[in-house]
Amino acid sequence: MDEIDIRSNLENVYTNIKKAAERAGRDPGNVTLIAVSKTKPVSMIEECIDAGTYVFGENKAQEMASKITSIDNNSIKWHFIGHLQRNKVKYVVGNACMIHSVDSIRLAEAISAEAVKKDVICDILIEVNIANEDTKFGVKKEDAYALIKDIAGLSNIRIRGLMTIAPYVDNTEDNRIHFKNLRNLLVDINNKNIDNVYMDVLSMGMTGDYEVAVEEGATMVRVGTGIFGNRIYV
């Protein structure tokens, strides 16, 4: 198996983000790269840190907690990007700087209760199933406003924006409409002036389509394979 050059891969992704942002007339500095380190060993995360990347995404609560224990570096920002079960909330609140995958009031209530218990403010994103795929988690686009309004009243939670996982497509241009729709949804909800809610984060775009996502307004892109190579699941 070929050795993975993480530093070179990171440079390539940052270059692509810069070019995509410039094509859209955006400041590349307004786009955060989240290196999706799920299933990857601590040694690979440390290679990213050596290359100057400190923002990582994990999708399993206990795996993230274990990695945080293994890597003693206060500069790292951990994002929880996977589906979160309520009984795993205790491993995430206080560890993740942001939870990207809130899609129900019951999950939000569990996060709020844990955040109150730990006396922290938890930044969250609302996961939207923007393409209405049966196999995906996330609230439907038409239900997002009501959910956000309900969550807005909970203690120790701060709604920062929206997240989506776009469909797997052969032509990345096919996902442009979904990214555009998510951006428009964020603008529409902000215009409704919900108390305690002003959202400025759009987490959208992964290895296959992050450049299109940046062109359409992504402020965070979640790239794993493009940095760490293909995942090996056992």
Side-chain angles (χ1 to χ4, degrees), residues 58-76:
E58 291 286 333
N59 74 334
K60 293 196 182 303
Q62 284 153 291
E63 180 181 345
M64 184 181 74
S66 172
K67 286 176 175 175
I68 289 171
T69 302
S70 299
I71 306 171
D72 184 19
N73 189 319
N74 292 332
S75 297
I76 294 178

Side-chain angles (χ1 to χ4, degrees), residues 57-97:
E58 291 286 333
N59 74 334
K60 293 196 182 303
Q62 284 153 291
E63 180 181 345
M64 184 181 74
S66 172
K67 286 176 175 175
I68 289 171
T69 302
S70 299
I71 306 171
D72 184 19
N73 189 319
N74 292 332
S75 297
I76 294 178
K77 294 187 183 302
W78 297 92
H79 290 249
F80 189 82
I81 61 174
H83 179 64
L84 181 57
Q85 297 169 305
R86 295 194 306 280
N87 64 346
K88 300 292 177 63
V89 162
K90 61 187 176 184
Y91 298 109
V92 176
V93 172
N95 278 332
C97 70

Side-chain angles (χ1 to χ4, degrees), residues 202-223:
L202 278 174
S203 172
M204 58 188 193
M206 300 193 293
T207 293
D209 54 19
Y210 67 88
E211 292 172 72
V212 174
V214 170
E215 290 173 355
E216 292 302 330
T219 65
M220 293 182 177
V221 293
R222 310 178 306 272
V223 179

Side-chain angles (χ1 to χ4, degrees), residues 100-166:
H100 289 229
S101 47
V102 178
D103 62 359
S104 72
I105 186 64
R106 292 179 72 196
L107 175 57
E109 287 169 345
I111 292 169
S112 171
E114 189 67 22
V116 168
K117 183 175 163 185
K118 291 181 176 173
D119 193 23
V120 296
I121 302 296
C122 190
D123 284 345
I124 68 166
L125 304 181
I126 304 302
E127 182 174 0
V128 181
N129 185 352
I130 200 70
N132 282 327
E133 293 182 277
D134 291 340
T135 57
K136 295 273 176 70
F137 292 105
V139 64
K140 290 182 178 179
K141 176 184 172 184
E142 56 269 27
D143 297 330
Y145 169 68
L147 177 61
I148 289 170
K149 201 170 179 185
D150 287 343
I151 293 174
L154 297 176
S155 299
N156 293 49
I157 278 187
R158 185 163 49 200
I159 304 171
R160 293 288 310 280
L162 306 177
M163 182 273 257
T164 199
I165 300 173

Side-chain angles (χ1 to χ4, degrees), residues 7-64:
R7 183 180 292 270
S8 177
N9 289 348
L10 279 167
E11 288 174 359
N12 183 54
V13 173
Y14 281 121
T15 297
N16 291 340
I17 289 172
K18 182 175 184 290
K19 288 179 178 177
E22 289 171 348
R23 285 194 296 272
R26 300 182 60 205
D27 179 357
N30 292 333
V31 182
T32 298
L33 170 63
I34 299 173
V36 178
S37 49
K38 64 181 186 180
T39 78
K40 295 301 181 182
V42 165
S43 59
M44 281 188 157
I45 295 173
E46 289 172 337
E47 284 188 64
C48 285
I49 295 168
D50 289 343
T53 291
Y54 296 90
V55 184
F56 298 96
E58 291 286 333
N59 74 334
K60 293 196 182 303
Q62 284 153 291
E63 180 181 345
M64 184 181 74

